[in-house]
Structure formats: C-alpha cells, structure tokens
Amino acid sequence: MTSTLRSARWFAPDDLRSSGHRSRLMQMGYDAKDWGEKPIIAILNTWSDLNPCHAHFKHRIDDVKRGVLQAGGFPVELPVQSLSESSLKPTTMLYRNFLAMEAEELLRGHPIDGAVLMGGCDKTTPALVMGAISAGLPMIFLPSGPMLRGHYKGEHLGSGSDAWKYWDERRAGTITDEQWIGVEEGIARSYGHCMTFGTASTMTAIAESLGLTLPGASSIPAADANHIRMSTRCGRRIVEMVHEKLGPEKIITEKSVANASAVAMATGCSTNAVVHLIAMARRAGVPLTLEDLDGISRTTPVIANIRPSGKQYLMEDFYYAGGLRALMAEMKELLHLDAMTVSGFPLGATLEGAEVHNSDVIRPLSNPIYHEGSLAVLKGNLAPDGCVVKPSACEERLRVHEGPALVFDSYPEMKAAIDDEDLDVTPDHVLILRNAGPKGGPGMPEWGMLPIPKKILKQGYRDMLRISDARMSGTSYGACILHVAPESHVGGPLSLVRTGDIIRVDVANRTIDMLVDEEILAMRRAAWTRPADKYERGYGWMFSKHIKQANEGCDFDFLETAFGTAVGEPDIF
Ligand code: FES
C-alpha cells in the first residue's frame, strides 16, 4: 500500500475484502481512476422534502461535487437526518445527538478522507460539527445561508420574531385574520434558514468564528449566486485540507472556542448558543462552562444591530453591510487572531480587507446596541447550576424584578390557562413552566417564551418575566429566563416553587432566587416525587437515560469525550 490516504485501507490491499470494495464501486460505474490516489470526500447532506431551510441542498450538492472533482478528489454524497426545525416534533433538540452520532459513525465506518458538512437549520450545525469532531477527519462546514427578508405591506418581516409579535396582536384583537394570513404568506419567501439572528444564524456564525467555514461563508444569503460559488469552493478546499492533514484538532482549540463565544455575544446570539457551544467545545476537549461564557459576555458588547436583539435589520442587511468578516474585523481586539481556520490561514489573515459598509447595521465597539454581550448567566437558589437570559431582548424594567410566581407543571396546563381572561395574574407576576428540561421535556422544547396571558396583553403589556427549564427559539425575545439547571424533572429547585412564592431576579448582579425559607423548601423537597420518564422504549428512552443537563451542553454521557480519544478506526478484515 503506497497511498497514505485513509481510504486506501479499503481499496489498496490485494485481498478478498478489498476486492469486494473495489468491485462494488465498479458496479456503480467507477474505476481505479476514481479512487486510487484521490481523497474520497463525504458530503453529509441534510436535505429533505420537509426542510425548507435546506431545499437548495438538493442542487448545491452538485456544486460541492464539482469543486471536489476540480481539485482532484472523489465526492460521495451521504444523506443524513435533516432535522427540520419547522416540521419535527416534539423538538429537534431531541435529535441533535442522534444526528451527531450518525455523522460520526458514517465518517468512521466508510472509506472517507475528508468531509463537507451541509447544514444550517438550527440543530444541524452543532450536530454535524460534534459528530465530525469526534470522527476526527478533516472537515469543512457549508452553511445553508439565510433566506431573503420577509415582506408584508411594505414592512420587513423577520423569521419567528414577527410570527410571535403578530400572533400576540391577533390574540389581543388588534389585527384581523386577513392580516394574519398576509403575515403567514410573506414571512418566508425563499429557501434558506431563518433570517433573524436566531439559532441558525448564531450557529453558522459560531461555525465560521470557530474556523470551520471558508471566510465569509455564513453570511451569504441562500438565494445569492455567491452561495453557489462558495459551495464549489468548499469542495475544492476540502481536498486540499486532506493533503495538508488539516484536521479539526488543529482548528478547534481554546482560542477558537473563545473567539466563537465572543462573536456569539457580539451578534446578539440565540440563547441556544450556550448549550451547543459547550457541547461542541467539550467534544474537542475544551472544558467550556457557563461561567466562561458569562465572563466573555461581560466584556463583549452587542454590535450586530440585527433582530431580535436589534430593532430593524435582518441577515440580508448584515451581508450587504459586510457580513461576519466585517463584524469580526470590527472586534479584532477581542479575538485570538492566530487561531487556525479551514482556509489554511489564521483568523487574522482571513479578515484582511474586510470592511463595514453600513455602520448602523454593524456597529463599532464604541457604539454598540447593548453595552454587554447577548447573554447573561444567572445563579441562585432557584438555579444553583445556572440559567440563561438575553437581556438585550427584554424590556429594561424587567432586568431587576420581584413578583409572585404563577406556576405551570406542563405545557398543556399552561396552554389551557393562558387565554382565560379570569386567570389570577398581573403584569408583575412571574410565569413559571417546569418539567420541560432535557429529561423532563424530554429534549428541552422551545417553550420558554411563554405566551403573555391574554388578559395582560389586553392591558397593553407585551413582556413579563418568565422562567423555565425549557429553551426558546433564537428568534424569540422577551424577559425569558431559560435552561434552569438542575431541571425540575430531576428534583432541581424549580420543582419546589409554588404559585404565590416571591421570585427575585437581578440581571446585572446575575442572581435568581425564590424568597422561601429553607425549612419550607426542605419540607417540599422531602415530599417531592420524581415524575415518570415519558419514553419506555426506543431512542427517546435512550435519550432520557443518558442526556446531560443544560449547563453541561446536553450531550450524551457516553459521547462527551475529548477528541483524540474518540477517534477510532473500524476493524478492516
Ligand atoms: Fe430552519 Fe429556522 S426553521 S432555521
């Protein structure tokens, strides 16, 4: 065997098993000119007929393949789960680790030398990255790109954010059914992922700032011809990366994780960022914590004026203003510029020449839209292991608040009560939803932006303090405190709160407490019984047994292994 390629272990030996590998590729019309000395590049494609965010991947796969062929590689498409955020119940988060396992095992088990990861819709990005880190092969991430701006009667509509906003107006009776249908028709006008700075834009920006995409890739709108050319460039570049032996262990380091954390905070990132960042970092042996993220947030202002943290602009505006390269150039002093990227150059070199074309969309550090980063981590007797809030997206009056709890034990219970105009609730109440965490949901559904009770909406209020062990969509907004850990399902303090208890939150001081005597809490703790798990079989059963808490990244306990130790090869007989 002369080739140093990993795939040569399948095709080069003169033995019966390798003969089988070769003859079965010949069955598909390939010959030694296709494999031989050529790197075999897996393209993990998350296309499906039910994923509008990845609808164009059906065609982009050919653009990636073209690039691989141009550079002398052998492209093979490996379809993987699509995880459509808009279709999959009960929540895509239930399946993030499933896709991560699928990606890892596909790459490990097949004759693959490098991989292009095609993702974008929320969980697909962290899932593919987690799996590919653990597989340990050279890889490059191709983001699906944001969809075009939404439109309705001359107004720009933002994915998710405007759906929540106009739904509340409909519940309050201030818009008609016809207007609501107009919003529904205008809010998603092209393929591509959500075009607010929701979870999808957050995670693709994180992938880019981790060094896992080609420079500028995450900002290109899906429908822009530049996205096609970027796809082809990814195909060319991964072949070079295989020859250069540029694997993820050289790219995902403490420095690149710190860069990604800072960029996330500066972009007004989704609260989901913390769960995924921690999970991805830990797969790479970087022990990122909530405290690390809070520390970075305190020194990194939000400079992307994109909704939902910003008031007006969307991802298309961000691209025209210079995109993520321009934003990172603007915050250079907060980044480790020597961190390596898939381009083969350190981050600093990839930012040369990047310019901001609209300083209202991408602000200078001296004129941020919020003086600290996007997220704050709170702790106290209600959340000893931490929880997360997005101060830039909630009303200022609620950043320090004390009020009585109104507790719901389940989403159906909350849903049945919330439109009851006789509900005993005031604008000062603190709405609490529990049993919606990693094990309790299970899968931490995006229920954390609890609807404002109809009675309160009619009084003109559009925000209230809300607390849960759930997540919320990155396109959501409001005074929503999320990811309370430990969750209520495992007996965390959230399980002990009663309606009427006084809750006190102080975002600046990072505290969250219930003002209840310890003796009373001890009595409640003694009387508490753990609810039954919802799944008795299958993947849901396995998930419930092995999922870790939100502050630990929600990876499976048997997968969270530093890479290097996770890299394995199948036996070759
Ligand atoms: Fe796919 Fe929002 S639904 S990114």
PDB file of all heavy atoms in Angstrom, residues 51 53 85-86 120-122 193-194 200, ligand 1:
ATOM      1  N   ASN A  51     -37.682  20.030   4.738  1.00  0.00           N
ATOM      2  CA  ASN A  51     -36.832  21.060   5.343  1.00  0.00           C
ATOM      3  C   ASN A  51     -36.652  22.241   4.394  1.00  0.00           C
ATOM      4  O   ASN A  51     -35.750  22.245   3.548  1.00  0.00           O
ATOM      5  CB  ASN A  51     -35.470  20.480   5.743  1.00  0.00           C
ATOM      6  CG  ASN A  51     -34.723  21.443   6.663  1.00  0.00           C
ATOM      7  OD1 ASN A  51     -35.005  22.648   6.674  1.00  0.00           O
ATOM      8  ND2 ASN A  51     -33.788  20.922   7.427  1.00  0.00           N
ATOM      9  N   CYS A  53     -35.440  25.076   4.882  1.00  0.00           N
ATOM     10  CA  CYS A  53     -34.166  25.778   5.092  1.00  0.00           C
ATOM     11  C   CYS A  53     -33.044  25.164   4.265  1.00  0.00           C
ATOM     12  O   CYS A  53     -32.027  25.796   4.014  1.00  0.00           O
ATOM     13  CB  CYS A  53     -33.798  25.743   6.576  1.00  0.00           C
ATOM     14  SG  CYS A  53     -35.113  26.378   7.623  1.00  0.00           S
ATOM     15  N   GLU A  85     -36.454  22.232  11.620  1.00  0.00           N
ATOM     16  CA  GLU A  85     -36.968  22.932  12.805  1.00  0.00           C
ATOM     17  C   GLU A  85     -38.463  23.205  12.689  1.00  0.00           C
ATOM     18  O   GLU A  85     -39.178  23.239  13.685  1.00  0.00           O
ATOM     19  CB  GLU A  85     -36.209  24.253  12.965  1.00  0.00           C
ATOM     20  CG  GLU A  85     -36.270  24.881  14.324  1.00  0.00           C
ATOM     21  CD  GLU A  85     -35.549  24.043  15.386  1.00  0.00           C
ATOM     22  OE1 GLU A  85     -34.550  23.370  15.066  1.00  0.00           O
ATOM     23  OE2 GLU A  85     -36.006  24.072  16.529  1.00  0.00           O
ATOM     24  N   SER A  86     -38.929  23.397  11.462  1.00  0.00           N
ATOM     25  CA  SER A  86     -40.320  23.798  11.278  1.00  0.00           C
ATOM     26  C   SER A  86     -41.274  22.607  11.189  1.00  0.00           C
ATOM     27  O   SER A  86     -42.487  22.794  11.160  1.00  0.00           O
ATOM     28  CB  SER A  86     -40.455  24.654  10.015  1.00  0.00           C
ATOM     29  OG  SER A  86     -39.876  24.007   8.910  1.00  0.00           O
ATOM     30  N   GLY A 120     -27.388  24.036   8.528  1.00  0.00           N
ATOM     31  CA  GLY A 120     -27.769  25.440   8.731  1.00  0.00           C
ATOM     32  C   GLY A 120     -28.976  25.576   9.638  1.00  0.00           C
ATOM     33  O   GLY A 120     -28.978  26.364  10.583  1.00  0.00           O
ATOM     34  N   CYS A 121     -30.031  24.775   9.356  1.00  0.00           N
ATOM     35  CA  CYS A 121     -31.225  24.855  10.193  1.00  0.00           C
ATOM     36  C   CYS A 121     -30.812  24.423  11.607  1.00  0.00           C
ATOM     37  O   CYS A 121     -30.246  23.336  11.809  1.00  0.00           O
ATOM     38  CB  CYS A 121     -32.310  23.948   9.610  1.00  0.00           C
ATOM     39  SG  CYS A 121     -33.930  24.171  10.372  1.00  0.00           S
ATOM     40  N   ASP A 122     -31.078  25.289  12.540  1.00  0.00           N
ATOM     41  CA  ASP A 122     -30.674  25.219  13.945  1.00  0.00           C
ATOM     42  C   ASP A 122     -29.745  24.087  14.384  1.00  0.00           C
ATOM     43  O   ASP A 122     -28.548  24.261  14.513  1.00  0.00           O
ATOM     44  CB  ASP A 122     -31.930  25.184  14.810  1.00  0.00           C
ATOM     45  CG  ASP A 122     -32.687  26.511  14.763  1.00  0.00           C
ATOM     46  OD1 ASP A 122     -32.444  27.308  13.833  1.00  0.00           O
ATOM     47  OD2 ASP A 122     -33.512  26.760  15.657  1.00  0.00           O
ATOM     48  N   HIS A 193     -32.114  29.331   5.742  1.00  0.00           N
ATOM     49  CA  HIS A 193     -32.515  29.264   7.151  1.00  0.00           C
ATOM     50  C   HIS A 193     -33.087  30.596   7.616  1.00  0.00           C
ATOM     51  O   HIS A 193     -33.068  31.595   6.882  1.00  0.00           O
ATOM     52  CB  HIS A 193     -31.361  28.770   8.031  1.00  0.00           C
ATOM     53  CG  HIS A 193     -30.159  29.684   8.083  1.00  0.00           C
ATOM     54  ND1 HIS A 193     -30.181  30.934   8.653  1.00  0.00           N
ATOM     55  CD2 HIS A 193     -28.878  29.493   7.647  1.00  0.00           C
ATOM     56  CE1 HIS A 193     -28.986  31.483   8.575  1.00  0.00           C
ATOM     57  NE2 HIS A 193     -28.181  30.636   7.964  1.00  0.00           N
ATOM     58  N   CYS A 194     -33.599  30.628   8.830  1.00  0.00           N
ATOM     59  CA  CYS A 194     -34.240  31.839   9.370  1.00  0.00           C
ATOM     60  C   CYS A 194     -33.291  33.034   9.264  1.00  0.00           C
ATOM     61  O   CYS A 194     -32.088  32.908   9.507  1.00  0.00           O
ATOM     62  CB  CYS A 194     -34.642  31.609  10.821  1.00  0.00           C
ATOM     63  SG  CYS A 194     -36.021  30.458  10.976  1.00  0.00           S
ATOM     64  N   ALA A 200     -30.154  29.555  13.975  1.00  0.00           N
ATOM     65  CA  ALA A 200     -29.445  29.150  12.757  1.00  0.00           C
ATOM     66  C   ALA A 200     -28.317  30.122  12.449  1.00  0.00           C
ATOM     67  O   ALA A 200     -27.161  29.726  12.249  1.00  0.00           O
ATOM     68  CB  ALA A 200     -30.419  29.070  11.595  1.00  0.00           C
TER      69      ALA A 200
HETATM   70 FE1  FES B   1     -34.811  26.216   9.856  1.00  0.00          FE
HETATM   71 FE2  FES B   1     -35.470  28.449  11.417  1.00  0.00          FE
HETATM   72  S1  FES B   1     -36.765  26.822  10.677  1.00  0.00           S
HETATM   73  S2  FES B   1     -33.561  27.789  10.663  1.00  0.00           S
END
